[in-house]
Amino acid sequence: MNIGIIFGGDSHESEVSKNSGLAISQACKSLGYQTTNYLLETNSIDNEINSLKKHDFVFIALHGTFGEDGALQKILEQNNIKYNGSDQFASKKCFNKSFCKEIAINDGIITPDFYVVESNICNDNIGFSSSKYVIKPNSQGSSVGFKVIDNYEKINEAIDNALDFDSKVLIEEYVGGAEITVPILGDEVLPVIEIIPKKGFYDYSSKYTKGMSEYVCPADIGTKLTSEIKDTAQRIHQLLGCEVYSRVDFKIYNDEVFFLEINTLPGMTETSLFPMSANKHGYSFKDLIDKIIKLSQKK
Ligand SMILES: Nc1ncnc2c1ncn2[C@@H]1O[C@H](COP(=O)(O)OP(=O)(O)O)[C@@H](O)[C@H]1O
Ligand SMILES: [Mg+2]
């Protein structure tokens, strides 16, 4: 089999994508597949499309805009090119955090209280019970444009900062407690991971600097919460029409599970969360990539 790996691009997550792409490419090679690397300079495959069509399968290793929001998926579908993971529609929905929260709420799933704003004229008296807020772009990943504020006066500054990354900004009630992520692969929910950032919040640097976070897998949250959070993750995956794999982010506060967001193209470097959990489940990085390819071909 001949596989094209797409990575890079010019989203805010292009550096992470390069690492995912190179790791996936290595894995494909060691699985005996022929590989071609497509390191994109921009968020476009206009120059690559004819070459991409010659492959049996394309592995999207992009994160963020273009690669994860359904735009690239749509182009590949129009050209009958097989690729990994969710289709254009599910990808688009999942990249819209407030949309996912609405879907979750309609199904009885708890998510932090929130508002969506498109400018900083945030004069409404926000009536959350918490005195801390999380301000983040509605459609981005890797915690870019993310700020926690504990003083309402700083809200406009934080909104302006997030508006640099997206036209819609999510103002969320801050939820303390444990940071949990749940990977889903095919019909299986893989071991749950607890993330413990060494200082402050799970922001971009805690995510990508070695040693800035600790991980517990399987998370030490007891059997009841483990099965509840796994069940909730799977429901969200299904409600949004996700295929093959995804990773769902949560907080657990006072034994209550809060849904934060779902990622359709989670990080895939050898040290990323999804491969860490797959490893506990008995799948090497190579096995995981092969599983994703095989499940995606059957879509
Ligand atoms: N409402 C919230 N309360 C507490 N922490 C939050 C909240 N929203 C986000 N966070 C923190 O910020 C991180 C990034 O937010 P998330 O919604 O997962 O977006 P993304 O990973 O796409 O940047 C989370 O992993 C969590 O640590
Ligand atoms: Mg996240």
Side-chain angles (χ1 to χ4, degrees), residues 13 95 97 101 112-113 133-137 139-144 146 148 170 172-176 179-180 195 197 201-203 207 247 249-251 260-263:
E13 295 174 83
F95 204 61
K97 289 187 168 76
K101 286 164 70 75
D113 280 345
Y133 307 94
V134 172
I135 317 291
K136 58 189 174 187
S139 298
Q140 281 295 338
S142 293
S143 302
V144 299
F146 161 95
V148 177
L170 209 53
E172 257 183 14
E173 171 186 24
Y174 178 85
V175 176
E179 167 99 29
I180 306 283
I195 301 144
F201 306 105
Y202 196 44
D203 57 9
K207 279 185 179 172
R247 210 198 69 222
D249 292 346
F250 295 94
K251 298 280 303 198
L260 289 184
E261 60 134 6
I262 178 164
N263 303 282

Side-chain angles (χ1 to χ4, degrees), residues 116-215:
V116 180
V117 295
E118 295 186 31
S119 68
N120 76 6
I121 45 154
C122 188
N123 290 325
D124 318 325
N125 216 342
I126 293 193
F128 301 152
S129 51
S130 141
S131 55
K132 254 186 180 174
Y133 307 94
V134 172
I135 317 291
K136 58 189 174 187
N138 189 49
S139 298
Q140 281 295 338
S142 293
S143 302
V144 299
F146 161 95
K147 272 200 165 41
V148 177
I149 57 161
D150 53 10
N151 178 344
Y152 193 74
E153 312 216 312
K154 294 194 184 135
I155 203 159
N156 278 331
E157 196 185 313
I159 292 170
D160 280 336
N161 171 61
L163 280 169
D164 286 344
F165 299 94
D166 190 35
S167 57
K168 286 192 178 149
V169 170
L170 209 53
I171 304 172
E172 257 183 14
E173 171 186 24
Y174 178 85
V175 176
E179 167 99 29
I180 306 283
T181 196
V182 185
I184 295 173
L185 179 64
D187 298 329
E188 293 177 303
V189 186
L190 302 182
V192 171
I193 304 176
E194 178 179 2
I195 301 144
I196 308 168
K198 285 205 181 144
K199 49 182 164 204
F201 306 105
Y202 196 44
D203 57 9
Y204 191 92
S205 64
S206 311
K207 279 185 179 172
Y208 302 114
T209 317
K210 235 192 164 128
M212 288 272 286
S213 297
E214 273 172 26
Y215 307 96

Side-chain angles (χ1 to χ4, degrees), residues 17-18 31 48 50 55 68 74 107 128-129 153 158 179 213 218 256 264 298:
S17 163
K18 282 180 197 166
L31 285 160
E48 290 81 10
N50 286 328
H55 296 283
E68 197 168 353
K74 184 175 178 181
D107 207 57
F128 301 152
S129 51
E153 312 216 312
E179 167 99 29
S213 297
E256 194 158 42
T264 49
K298 280 195 253 157

Side-chain angles (χ1 to χ4, degrees), residues 1-240:
M1 191 161 52
N2 197 309
I3 301 184
I5 297 109
I6 306 183
F7 56 104
D10 63 6
S11 80
H12 295 287
E13 295 174 83
S14 59
E15 283 309 310
V16 185
S17 163
K18 282 180 197 166
N19 292 331
S20 290
L22 292 173
I24 292 164
S25 181
Q26 273 299 328
C28 288
K29 256 186 232 144
S30 61
L31 285 160
Y33 300 134
Q34 284 198 313
T35 59
T36 311
N37 288 352
Y38 293 89
L39 173 58
L40 303 185
E41 303 262 307
T42 61
N43 280 347
S44 155
I45 52 163
D46 289 352
N47 297 328
E48 290 81 10
I49 188 72
N50 286 328
S51 166
L52 284 167
K53 278 188 200 166
K54 295 183 188 130
H55 296 283
D56 304 307
F57 189 84
V58 161
F59 206 115
I60 308 171
L62 294 165
H63 306 300
T65 44
F66 186 61
E68 197 168 353
D69 63 7
L72 175 58
Q73 287 77 4
K74 184 175 178 181
I75 302 170
L76 296 176
E77 283 165 33
Q78 283 165 343
N79 287 279
N80 287 318
I81 299 172
K82 287 233 169 250
Y83 62 88
N84 54 310
S86 295
D87 71 5
Q88 56 167 312
F89 303 108
S91 302
K92 189 173 178 181
K93 287 181 203 166
C94 292
F95 204 61
N96 181 340
K97 289 187 168 76
S98 62
F99 180 85
C100 295
K101 286 164 70 75
E102 299 283 3
I103 296 284
I105 291 166
N106 283 338
D107 207 57
I109 294 165
I110 296 170
T111 181
D113 280 345
F114 69 108
Y115 289 89
V116 180
V117 295
E118 295 186 31
S119 68
N120 76 6
I121 45 154
C122 188
N123 290 325
D124 318 325
N125 216 342
I126 293 193
F128 301 152
S129 51
S130 141
S131 55
K132 254 186 180 174
Y133 307 94
V134 172
I135 317 291
K136 58 189 174 187
N138 189 49
S139 298
Q140 281 295 338
S142 293
S143 302
V144 299
F146 161 95
K147 272 200 165 41
V148 177
I149 57 161
D150 53 10
N151 178 344
Y152 193 74
E153 312 216 312
K154 294 194 184 135
I155 203 159
N156 278 331
E157 196 185 313
I159 292 170
D160 280 336
N161 171 61
L163 280 169
D164 286 344
F165 299 94
D166 190 35
S167 57
K168 286 192 178 149
V169 170
L170 209 53
I171 304 172
E172 257 183 14
E173 171 186 24
Y174 178 85
V175 176
E179 167 99 29
I180 306 283
T181 196
V182 185
I184 295 173
L185 179 64
D187 298 329
E188 293 177 303
V189 186
L190 302 182
V192 171
I193 304 176
E194 178 179 2
I195 301 144
I196 308 168
K198 285 205 181 144
K199 49 182 164 204
F201 306 105
Y202 196 44
D203 57 9
Y204 191 92
S205 64
S206 311
K207 279 185 179 172
Y208 302 114
T209 317
K210 235 192 164 128
M212 288 272 286
S213 297
E214 273 172 26
Y215 307 96
V216 184
C217 182
D220 190 15
I221 53 173
T223 48
K224 194 167 160 277
L225 275 173
T226 299
S227 80
E228 183 187 333
I229 207 164
K230 281 186 163 184
D231 177 63
T232 307
Q234 206 164 29
R235 258 163 69 205
I236 289 168
H237 177 97
Q238 283 162 0
L239 282 168
L240 289 157

